[in-house]
Every structure is written in C-alpha cells, then in structure tokens.
C-alpha cells in the first residue's frame, strides 16, 4: 500500500495511474521489445495492527485518546509532581489495571491476526516456472506468475483464468469467505489461449486494484509469430478472487494480476464505522455533571481554606511554622497547587473502573444471545451470532424497524405457481397436453394460446437464465443449491439438480420441467433442452446480457440449428412493458396485477428475432464495449438498451414466496411494543402490499395513503406540484385531523381512531428527496416524515439499496433521534444495515453479506421478537442500573471525604486509608454489580414475551433520564451525609473502649468506610429480583473479603510501607460495642428510605403485572418455577423441573 501511495505521489508513468500492464509468466512479448519488469507489491497479507516494536506506544496512544483514561492519567501525573494528600498509587493502580486489561485483550486479538497471517503467507502453492511446477510459499508469488490450483484449494491471489481441466473451459468456485455466498459460480477461461502455457506470449492490461468484488475491467493481448496480436476482453467472469475455493474442477492455471494487500479480499477488509449506543451518550453526560461537582468541591474547599487561613493565627500556628521555601512560594501558585490537591483528593467521584465493568458486561452478556437455544435453527444447524457486543442495550431501545421483504418477511423459497401465455392463464393441475386452463378472460374460458406460443414461452424459460446443472458425486443426494442453502423443491423424475445465484431462476426452470421442457445443461457454449416429444434441441449461446438492478431484466442471445438469432428477455413488468407492443401489454397486464395482488412475484417474458444485420451490429457493439477499460458498464448498458427494444411479449410467470414462520405474530408483537415497522423492498407495490396484509401490518380497516408514480400521473398538473398537493392532503388527514393519541399507544387501544398505512415507491422518493430548485426541500421531507410517523405501518416499494439507506438515515436524523433497527438477508440490504443504529442480518438464501455486515445475525425473522422484547429489555435494564449504581456508590464514597475537610482545617487530610481508596472500586464493590448486570431478571422472559407492552416502559432511555439520575444522586447525598454525621455523633465522646482509650481519625474513617461498603452492597441486594448462587457468592463474598482484608492489612507490619496508618485499627474498632451498634444502626437508617418505598409504594409497572399474570394462571399451570428460573440456568440447560 505504501508503494502505491509513493507511486502516486512521485508521478511516474501516466498510464500506470489508471491501468497496469502484466507480462504473463514474466516473458517479453516480442524479441525486439525491451523487457522492463514492473514492480508490484508482494503477496504478503498483513491484517495485524501492531508489531513487537510499536505495540506499546501505539496501544497506549489509542487508549489515552479516550477522555476518561486521559483524565486519570493527568490526575496520576499531578499526584506524582505535586505534593498531594493521597499516594499516586491510589489512582495509578486502577488506571494501570484498566490499561493493562485492555492492552492484553487487544494484544491477544492482534496475536491471533498475526497467527492467521502467518498461516496464509506460508501456505504452499504451485507456480509454473520454465515448464516446471515449483513449490513456493504463498507470500513469494509475484504479479505475472502462472499459478496452478487444484480442486478444493483456495486461490492464493487474484488470478486470470488461463486454463481449466473441464472440457467446456470453465471452472466452478465458491466465494463464501468473501461475500458469504456458497453457491457454485461459473468462471471462464480467456478464449484462444495456448494449450501449452510455456509457449503463451501475452500481456494483460487491466485497471488498478479496487475493492468491488463484482467489477473487473481488462483486456489481454495474445502474441503469435507473424500474426497481428489478438485482443480478448476480460471481465469478472475471468477473474478468480483470493479467498475463493475451486470446486467441481480438477485443476486450473491462472496468471496473478493482484497480489497481497492489493487483492480485492484485502481491500475489502475495512472496519465498519463505530456505532455508539445511547447509554454511552448518557454516561458521558453524567460524567460531565460529576466533573462539574468535582470541580465545584475543589473550588469551594480551596476558597474556604484561604478564607479560614486569613484569620489571625490560623495560617501559621505556633505548632506548625512555615519553612522559608513555603514563605517564598507565589501565592497564586500555592492556590493552584491546593486546587489540584483537592481535585486529586475528590477524583474518585469519577468512576474509572465503570468503563472496565461496562466492557466486561457487554462482552460476557453477548454470550447469552449466542447460547440461547431458542435461536437455534435445525434446518441450517446454526444459532444466533453476535458481531459486536457494544450495542446489546440498544436492542431494548428500538423505535423503528426497517425490514426487507424477500427472504426476511418471506422465505425466499420460490415455487412456480402459474403462468400467463398470450393472455391465457395456465395453472399446474390435471394435465391437458401439459397444461390446465383454470381461468382467463370470460369470453375465452377453456381456451388456450396456440401450441407455438406455448412452446416458445417454455423455450424462453429454459434458455433465459444463468442456471447450471450440478455434477453430483455418487454419494450425494441431488438437491438444488441457492447461495449455499439446499432448495426444498420437489425432485422430478430425472433427479436433476441445479445451482443458481437466485431461487427465482431455479423455480422457473423447474416450472418449465413440469410442462415437458427440461434444461439439460450448457456444454461448450451450447445449451441443450429436451422438449415435450423428448427430442433434444440445441442452441448456441452467443451473448448473456446480465441482470442488474437498474435495468431490472436479463437477456440471452442464442442461435438455432437453422441459423436464426433469437433474443429472450425476462424482467420486471415495469422494465419490460415499455419495450414491447402496447396491444400485447393489455392482454397480460390484468394477470400480472392480479398475481401481484395475491402476493406472487411476477416476471414478464419477451422475445425478439434478430436479423443478421441487427445481430452483427449488436455483436460488434458488445465486443467493443467489453474491451473498453474506461466506462465499460455505461457502454454495455447503452448496447443492452439498444438491443432490448421492439420485443414481443409472450407471457408472464407467477412464483410464490411463502411468508416466514411466525412472521405475522412477530410483526404484531413489535407493533404492540410501540415499535414502528417499515417495509423497504425492491419488489412490486401490489406484491409487497399483499405481504403487508398477510403480516398484519395493514389491517382491513387501514386506510392506505399512496404516494406512487401512478398517483402522481395527472395530465393537468406537473408531478412536483401534484406531489406537494398529495403530501399536504395526506398530512391533513393523518396528522392535523387525527385525534391526539397518547404516546406509545397503538391499535390495541385506539380501534375507534382511523388507522393509516403509507405507501411510497422509489421514483417518488427520488422526487421527494430532490425536489425542484425553487421548492423547499425541508418542507417536502418534513411533511413526509410526519405522515410516516402517524401511520401504523409504512411500505416503501421499488427501492434501490441506496434509497433504503437514505430512508433509514432520514428517520435516524429526524427530531428526537429515534433508535433505528434494520433487518435484511441479502447484499442489497447491507447499506441500510450499516446505516441503522442496530443492524440485523438474517441467515437466509441470498448469501451471507448481510450477516457479515450486521451487528447481530439470527436464523429466522421470528427470533427478532425474543431478541428485542426479552434480551434487549433485560440488557437495557441491567446496564442502566449498572451506570446509575456506579455514580451513586462513588458519590457515597467521596461525600464524607468532602465533609471531612470542614473539620480538618481544609488541610487535604484523607478520611480513608490509601488501600481503601485503591480497593473500593476494584475489589470491594465491583463483582456484585457485574454479577447483577449479567444475571438480573426483574421479570421472567416468558412474561416479557407475552406482554409486548412492557417494552414501552423502558423506551426512550427511560431509566437513564435526568429524573432517575437525580433520584440516585439525592440518595447518594442522603447516605453520604448519614455516614459522616452518624459517625461524628458517635465520636462526640471518642472514648469508645472500656479502658478509656480514645479512637483517632483513622478509626473514624474506617467506621465510615465499613458502613459505606455494607450499605452500597446491601442496597444492590435489595434491588436484586432474581437470585442465583452467583449473586449470593459475590455479594456475601465481597463483604467477607472486605472484613478479611481489613484484618489482614491492619494485622501485619508491612516492610514496604513508610507509615502504617491502619495497624490494628480495624480489630481495635470492632472491640467497641458502640462501634458495632453505630455500624448496624447507620446501615439500617441509610437503607430505611429504600425499605419504606418498597413497602408503602403501590404495586405498579412490570412487577405488579407479572404478579397478576401469575395469579391468573388457574392451578398454577404456568409454573412459577419456570418464570423465576435464572436466565443463566435456562441458557445452559434443557427445560426441566430439576432446575429450580
């Protein structure tokens, strides 16, 4: 990469900027030509972040970029430089612990990357040199080397396919490690290459490395003696990508074009943008508040110190004379030093260990999703996957769900239902010459299209596709493969199985097989089909005009035995109808619209007979466009559009894509939880609309507000004016005239009010996002958003992938910044998955790109219900309590220290021993809250799933708003005051022992600290609704450890301590009955408000609902054991009565 950048900076060959020239086998093409080998990067892969030399400085730099770590570093340096009341160890040790744990974690992860790099770079490969096969390490491959790869091996770099052992000069590969798609993809050798590669003299001119896996532009010049060099175009079908695996092919040879960090796989290893949860933002806001409190305390104490010292005799009492150095010190410098000392003394109010606890809680908590047996899908033998644990709590805050339709709401398991030929409908049933007429125009009942039209239609289905016949091994059962998932289609008699990139294509080929036309396969550019009479028909495949989402159609040009050139085209009705005769459209449009209304996926089929002149022109244009290095796609698109005109419409197909299991129940539960559901799909409006009705997103009484190209077509007014008119009309009906609805209430409680469903298509959205220059863009978007927000469901159809992301971004950035979630299963959903706050990938049939780019992956849509309503709810409640509890316990900790300054002449005298200051957050109070934040279930999972409305009670960050924060802060202040003044009341007579010996200031601080540790720990025990043996162990174990540590720390003379403040202080303290009594009374008094609130407060909210639900189960059939069982137990073990 560095070399590439230097080349660009230093200029050099202008041509090299846009393309590179590669000599195949490093051989000069002509004897007269001077051979100057080009320099390209080697084949080493470096995915690691650190080296042995830069790990320490680089890792420390990255860690101290975090504000909290940097703050504690500054505090530590102040303690080292300035004479502060506490030892640098008190803040240095916790900081060292945090930095070390993080560094070890990141170092281990990088070591794994180094290990993986080593395995890849040292992998043995075979390179052809001087006619011999030479074994080399992968990292030693150079651009231009001819590499040999055998079946089931991974390609070591990006190769152009030169030779294959297959007769048809093709090879099959799987790209599962690149885009997750495990279907077999066909790649082709470069035509006219020598069989003996040693004799091949050629150069390859191709584009510079770029990350798009599906794009490649190049050309190959093949030199032969006494002949003009032959030029062959190179495209993605000739390029074998590093990381892909060779399948169903014994051996191939290819020339290396991109190596090492310039391969497409390496260029695609880009980190996703970091997503931050709402909880992190709340933590930062609370930190600022506590930082202000800290600074205020330091300012107050510094000011009062100098006010107090200004009194006569206080600044320099007779028993504490100043040194000459102290007298010469600048007054303002001394004040600043004192301010820093107070900052250090009170800095523990900012909890550094909270960051480590939150990280551990998120990391460990994510395993509960992975381990959940309810997420395991036996069909694909996989469960849920967590790609990032930073967003667990965000699952409990979702306000908008954006879902794809095909493969997410539906199964993407296509079944051929019926077809329409020349206006007549055919449905598979009791066969009558292969067809049954079930329906059609009233005047044409029991009539059929002509036999010629029928056979032409079926030939089109058999020829217009990119399906391959799979070569099964002897032990393999034949099944269709669509992106790695076996198709569930019923096997025909011939036991044929196909591989394809889309389930639609297999469904159509299977549909043709039902009616007597069977696709036999492609051999050496010849497509063979068997017709109804069992005769083999052979067609020469001349060109494939590939499908793309802009054209929304694909075509093939074939040649019959008699020499006729035929073009067959299939695609969406919106892209086919404008390219055929209008009178043909009228006959078929009715069937297409009815099929779409019934929820079927429709495709139209057209054909065209090309004259010799037309074909020659198209062939020349396609070849020229494919040889272009610049703007190849645009040139190909122009030729495609030119050829695909003036076609004849033969018919249309209807393919059923069934709803996902429990799709309707899941959507209903999400709406019950107050979540708005938007369906974003590239499918037809009618098909998508029927899916929305089936999923209960639209009800029978729902009034649909439609904003599509059809509604904008008004001959009298311009589209832009009609759009604004409709927006205002819909806004008046859905927003202005709608009665005010209580926030969060959905159809369950508002049946008396009119419900609205909103529908928009891609073309109208483009117009809405880019209005005329004289129009107010913000007005259009504002009206649109308000209509959508007041609708029970929104359907966006005919959406391009980028438009899906635009919709998500618009909602995400709208007023209130609602939390968004996108869920999809295909590559076209990646943009919206990355754009949303939370991205969910479904392990469907459209590859694994969505899964790879998501934050969480689930096997089926139905699992989204539990993921949000149970896991998301619990994660949010746990982490919200963790954050509030951390700030509360640190306020309780530092407030007595602040109050103590008023009674020690603002001398910065610490109230607690250095060991207590260091260990409070690390050992004494950290484990109970970590266990709570992992295991707490304030409600059973069954209750959360049965009562979706409970999700609303935590919506909009309810537990981390300022009101609960204020409650926790007031509680911390109350308990801090109670600790300090309660113990001060005890010390009104410090002679607390039978022998009259008085207690000192370290005994005072130790009693306060003991009350503090027991109170904050017991407060957490009071908050725990769900006890497991782990909770018991860490809560009572932490208290026991504190007592043990205090005895141990004060019971031994430690040689490394200059002064031992707590020597036998703890044991001495416990010898006093008065101290025991005060500790017990103060703990009870501090917890009394909490106890009273629990006892006197009327049951409300989730706990009361759970209780009522339990009482409503007659005879206790809904076992309370099941409801109260810990999440941990239900995760690790099967449901059984033995687990209590």
């Amino acid at each position: 990469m560095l070399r590439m950048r230097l080349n660009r900076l230093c200029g050099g060959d202008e041509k090299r900027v846009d393309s590179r020239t590669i000599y195949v086998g490093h051989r000069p093409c002509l004897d007269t030509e001077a051979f100057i080998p080009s320099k390209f990067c080697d084949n080493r892969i470096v995915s690691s972040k650190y080296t042995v030399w830069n790990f320490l400085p680089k890792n420390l730099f990255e860690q101290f970029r975090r504000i909290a770590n940097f703050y504690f570093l500054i505090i530590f340096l102040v303690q080292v430089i300035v004479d502060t009341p506490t030892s640098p160890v008190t803040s240095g040790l916790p900081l060292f612990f945090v930095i070390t744990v993080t560094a070890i974690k990141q170092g281990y992860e990088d070591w794994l990357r180094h290990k993986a790099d080593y395995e890849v770079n040292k992998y043995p490969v075979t390179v052809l040199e001087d006619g011999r096969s030479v074994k080399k390490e992968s990292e030693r491959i150079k651009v231009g080397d001819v590499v040999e790869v055998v079946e089931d091996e991974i390609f070591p770099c990006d190769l152009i396919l030169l030779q294959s052992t297959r007769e048809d000069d093709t090879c099959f590969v799987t790209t599962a490690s690149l885009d997750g798609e495990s279907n077999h993809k066909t790649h082709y050798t470069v035509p006219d290459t020598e069989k003996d590669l040693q004799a091949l003299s050629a150069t390859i001119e191709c584009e510079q490395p770029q990350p798009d896996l599906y794009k490649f532009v190049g050309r190959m010049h093949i030199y032969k003696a006494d002949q003009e060099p032959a030029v062959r175009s190179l495209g993605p079908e000739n390029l074998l990508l590093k990381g892909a695996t060779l399948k169903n092919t014994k051996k191939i040879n290819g020339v290396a074009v991109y190596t090492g960090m310039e391969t497409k796989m390496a260029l695609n290893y880009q980190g996703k943008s970091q997503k931050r949860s709402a909880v992190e933002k709340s933590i930062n806001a609370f930190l600022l508040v506590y930082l202000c409190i800290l600074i205020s305390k330091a300012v107050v104490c510094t000011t009062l110190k100098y006010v107090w010292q200004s009194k006569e005799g206080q600044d320099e009492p007779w028993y504490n004379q100043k040194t000459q150095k102290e007298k010469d010190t600048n007054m303002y410098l001394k004040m600043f030093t004192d301010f820093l000392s107070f900052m250090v003394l009170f800095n523990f109010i900012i909890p550094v260990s909270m960051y480590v606890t939150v990280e551990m809680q998120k990391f460990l908590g994510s395993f509960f999703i992975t381990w959940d047996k309810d997420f395991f899908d036996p069909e694909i033998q996989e469960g849920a996957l967590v790609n990032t644990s930073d967003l667990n709590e965000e699952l409990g805050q979702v306000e908008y769900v954006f879902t794809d339709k095909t493969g997410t709401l539906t199964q993407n398991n296509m079944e051929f239902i019926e077809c329409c030929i020349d206006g007549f409908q055919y449905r598979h049933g009791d066969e009558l010459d292969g067809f049954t007429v079930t329906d059609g125009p009233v005047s044409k009942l029991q009539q059929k299209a002509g036999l010629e039209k029928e056979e032409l239609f079926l030939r089109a289905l058999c020829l217009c596709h990119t399906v391959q016949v799979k070569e099964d091994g002897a032990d393999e059962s034949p099944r269709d493969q669509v992106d790695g998932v076996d198709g569930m289609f019923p096997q025909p008699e011939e036991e044929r199985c196909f591989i394809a990139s889309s389930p639609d294509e297999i469904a159509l080929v299977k549909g043709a097989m039902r009616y007597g036309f069977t696709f036999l396969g492609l051999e050496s550019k010849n497509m063979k089909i068997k017709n109804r009479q069992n005769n083999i028909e052979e067609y020469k495949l001349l060109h494939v005009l590939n499908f793309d989402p802009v054209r929304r159609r694909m075509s093939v040009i074939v040649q019959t035995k008699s020499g006729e050139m035929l073009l067959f085209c299939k695609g969406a009705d919106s892209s086919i109808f404008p390219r055929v005769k209008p009178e043909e459209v009228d006959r078929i449009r009715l069937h297409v619209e009815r099929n779409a209304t019934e929820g079927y996926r429709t495709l139209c089929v057209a054909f065209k007979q090309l004259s010799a002149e037309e074909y020659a022109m198209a062939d020349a244009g396609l070849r020229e466009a494919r040889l272009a290095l610049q703007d190849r796609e645009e040139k190909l698109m122009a030729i495609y559009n030119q050829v695909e005109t003036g076609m004849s419409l033969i018919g249309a197909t209807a393919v059923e894509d069934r709803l996902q299991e429990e799709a309707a129940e899941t959507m209903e539960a999400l709406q019950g939880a107050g979540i708005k559901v938007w369906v974003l799909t590239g499918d037809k409006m009618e098909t998508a609309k029927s899916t929305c009705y089936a999923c209960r997103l639209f009800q029978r009484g729902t009034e649909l507000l439609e904003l599509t190209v059809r509604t904008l077509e008004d001959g009298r007014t311009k589209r832009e004016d009609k759009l604004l008119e409709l927006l205002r009309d819909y806004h008046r009906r859905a927003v202005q005239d709608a009665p005010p609805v209580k926030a969060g209430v959905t159809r369950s409680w508002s049946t008396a009010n009119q419900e609205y469903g909103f529908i928009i298509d891609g073309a109208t959205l483009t117009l809405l996002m880019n209005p005329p220059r004289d129009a107010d863009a913000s007005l259009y978007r504002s009206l649109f958003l308000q209509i959508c927000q007041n609708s029970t469901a929104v359907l966006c159809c005919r959406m391009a992938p980028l438009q899906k992301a635009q919709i998500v971004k618009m909602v995400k950035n709208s007023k209130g910044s609602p939390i968004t979630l996108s869920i999809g299963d295909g590559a076209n959903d990646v943009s919206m998955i990355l754009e949303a706050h939370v991205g969910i990938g479904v392990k469907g049939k459209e590859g694994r790109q969505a899964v790879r780019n998501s934050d969480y992956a689930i096997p089926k849509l139905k699992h989204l219900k539990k993921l949000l309503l149970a896991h998301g709810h619990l994660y949010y409640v746990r982490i919200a309590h963790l954050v509030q509890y951390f700030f509360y316990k640190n306020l309780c900790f530092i407030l007595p220290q602040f109050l103590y300054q008023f009674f020690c002449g603002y001398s910065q005298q610490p109230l607690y021993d250095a060991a207590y200051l260091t260990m409070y957050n690390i050992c004494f109070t950290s484990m109970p809250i970590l266990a709570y934040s992992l295991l707490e279930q304030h409600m059973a999972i069954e209750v959360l799933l049965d009562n979706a409305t409970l999700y609303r009670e935590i919506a909009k960050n309810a537990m981390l708003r300022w009101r609960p924060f204020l409650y926790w802060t007031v509680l911390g202040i109350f308990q801090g005051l109670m600790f300090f003044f309660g113990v001060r009341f005890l010390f009104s007579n410090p002679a607390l022992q039978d022998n009259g010996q008085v207690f000192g200031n370290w005994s005072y601080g130790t009693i306060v600290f003991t009350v503090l540790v027991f109170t904050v720990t017991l407060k957490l025990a009071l908050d725990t609704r769900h006890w497991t043996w782990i909770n018991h162990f860490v809560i009572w174990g932490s208290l026991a450890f504190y007592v043990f540590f205090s005895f141990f720390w004060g019971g031994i003379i430690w040689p490394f301590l200059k002064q031992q403040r707590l020597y036998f202080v703890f044991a001495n303290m416990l010898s006093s009955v008065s101290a025991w009594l005060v500790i017990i009374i103060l703990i009870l008094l501090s917890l009394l408000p909490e106890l009273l609130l629990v006892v006197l407060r009327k049951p409300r909210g989730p706990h009361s609902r759970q209780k009522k639900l339990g009482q409503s189960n007659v005879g206790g059939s809904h076992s309370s054991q099941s409801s109260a069982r810990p999440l941990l137990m239900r995760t690790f073990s099967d449901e059984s009565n033995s687990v209590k």
Side-chain angles (χ1 to χ4, degrees), residues 182-184 379-380 411-413 470 472 476-489 491 497-499 503 506 844-845:
S182 54
N183 61 306
H184 291 57
E379 187 181 334
I380 60 172
Q411 294 179 11
N412 203 12
N413 189 6
K470 186 179 178 185
D472 282 324
E476 291 182 12
S477 59
R479 307 190 78 178
D480 306 313
Q481 280 201 354
V482 185
D483 288 350
V485 180
D486 289 338
M488 295 291 112
F489 299 101
Q491 296 300 321
C497 42
F498 302 107
I499 48 179
I506 290 182
K845 298 188 176 182

Side-chain angles (χ1 to χ4, degrees), residues 223-236:
Y223 298 90
K224 294 183 180 178
D226 303 324
Q227 289 183 22
E228 282 291 315
V231 183
R232 297 289 176 262
S233 68
L234 303 175

Side-chain angles (χ1 to χ4, degrees), residues 996-1015:
Q997 183 181 346
V998 296
F999 277 5
N1001 67 311
W1002 294 114
S1003 297
Y1004 187 102
T1006 303
I1007 295 174
V1008 171
F1009 192 79
T1010 303
V1011 176
L1012 163 71
V1013 170
F1014 272 79
T1015 302

Side-chain angles (χ1 to χ4, degrees), residues 106-151:
Q106 292 178 351
Y108 174 70
E109 289 173 350
D110 204 60
W111 175 75
L112 292 177
R113 285 192 285 266
H114 271 283
K115 190 177 173 185
D117 289 348
Y118 183 83
E119 288 176 5
V120 170
N121 292 333
K122 298 298 179 184
Y123 186 81
V125 295
T126 305
V127 177
L128 300 181
E129 290 183 354
D130 301 323
R132 294 178 296 110
S133 296
V134 180
K135 285 284 182 183
K136 279 187 176 183
E137 292 174 344
S138 175
E139 64 183 0
R140 293 175 58 198
I141 294 176
K142 297 175 184 174
V143 171
D145 281 350
V146 177
V147 181
E148 183 181 286
V149 181
V150 297
E151 189 172 5

Side-chain angles (χ1 to χ4, degrees), residues 40 84 119 162 179 203 209 361 383 586 607 613 697 864 903 905:
F40 302 106
T84 54
E119 288 176 5
L162 298 178
D179 57 13
T203 59
Q361 190 268 351
D586 296 335
F607 103 108
E613 294 78 17
L697 291 172
L864 184 65
F903 298 90

Side-chain angles (χ1 to χ4, degrees), residues 474-544:
D475 58 336
E476 291 182 12
S477 59
R479 307 190 78 178
D480 306 313
Q481 280 201 354
V482 185
D483 288 350
V485 180
D486 289 338
M488 295 291 112
F489 299 101
Q491 296 300 321
E493 293 174 5
E494 292 89 343
E495 293 290 328
R496 292 213 159 264
C497 42
F498 302 107
I499 48 179
S501 57
S502 165
D504 294 80
E505 296 214 308
I506 290 182
L508 295 177
V509 172
K510 291 276 185 179
M513 284 178 71
R514 285 181 180 177
Y515 302 126
F517 272 73
T518 305
F519 174 60
L520 299 177
L522 175 69
E523 293 178 15
S524 303
K525 293 285 183 181
N526 288 321
M527 300 180 83
K528 293 181 179 179
I529 60 175
K530 185 166 70 172
N531 60 25
R532 288 176 179 171
Q533 289 76 38
N534 289 329
N535 297 325
I536 305 297
E537 297 180 10
E538 200 168 305
Y539 296 85
K540 186 177 181 181
L541 179 62
L542 300 174
H543 290 285
V544 176

Side-chain angles (χ1 to χ4, degrees), residues 528-579:
K528 293 181 179 179
I529 60 175
K530 185 166 70 172
N531 60 25
R532 288 176 179 171
Q533 289 76 38
N534 289 329
N535 297 325
I536 305 297
E537 297 180 10
E538 200 168 305
Y539 296 85
K540 186 177 181 181
L541 179 62
L542 300 174
H543 290 285
V544 176
L545 282 55
N546 291 317
F547 175 87
D548 66 72
V550 178
R551 282 168 54 243
R552 295 180 64 81
R553 60 184 182 274
M554 70 89 63
S555 303
V556 294
I557 300 176
V558 295
Q559 185 178 23
T560 64
K561 283 280 189 183
S562 59
E564 289 181 330
M565 310 290 182
L566 300 176
L567 177 136
F568 292 106
C569 179
K570 71 177 181 201
D573 57 305
S574 58
S575 71
I576 298 286
F577 285 171
R579 300 182 168 272

Side-chain angles (χ1 to χ4, degrees), residues 136-198:
K136 279 187 176 183
E137 292 174 344
S138 175
E139 64 183 0
R140 293 175 58 198
I141 294 176
K142 297 175 184 174
V143 171
D145 281 350
V146 177
V147 181
E148 183 181 286
V149 181
V150 297
E151 189 172 5
D152 293 325
E153 268 191 354
I154 295 170
F155 300 119
C157 56
D158 290 351
L159 304 168
I160 291 294
L161 180 59
L162 298 178
Q163 205 174 71
S164 169
T165 54
R166 289 177 62 89
E167 291 180 4
D168 57 358
D169 289 334
T170 63
C171 75
F172 292 106
V173 304
T174 56
T175 55
S177 61
L178 295 167
D179 57 13
E181 297 184 10
S182 54
N183 61 306
H184 291 57
K185 294 179 179 173
T186 310
H187 288 259
Y188 301 91
T189 60
V190 182
D192 305 326
T193 52
E194 299 280 351
K195 292 294 180 187
D196 179 13
L197 293 181
Q198 186 60 30

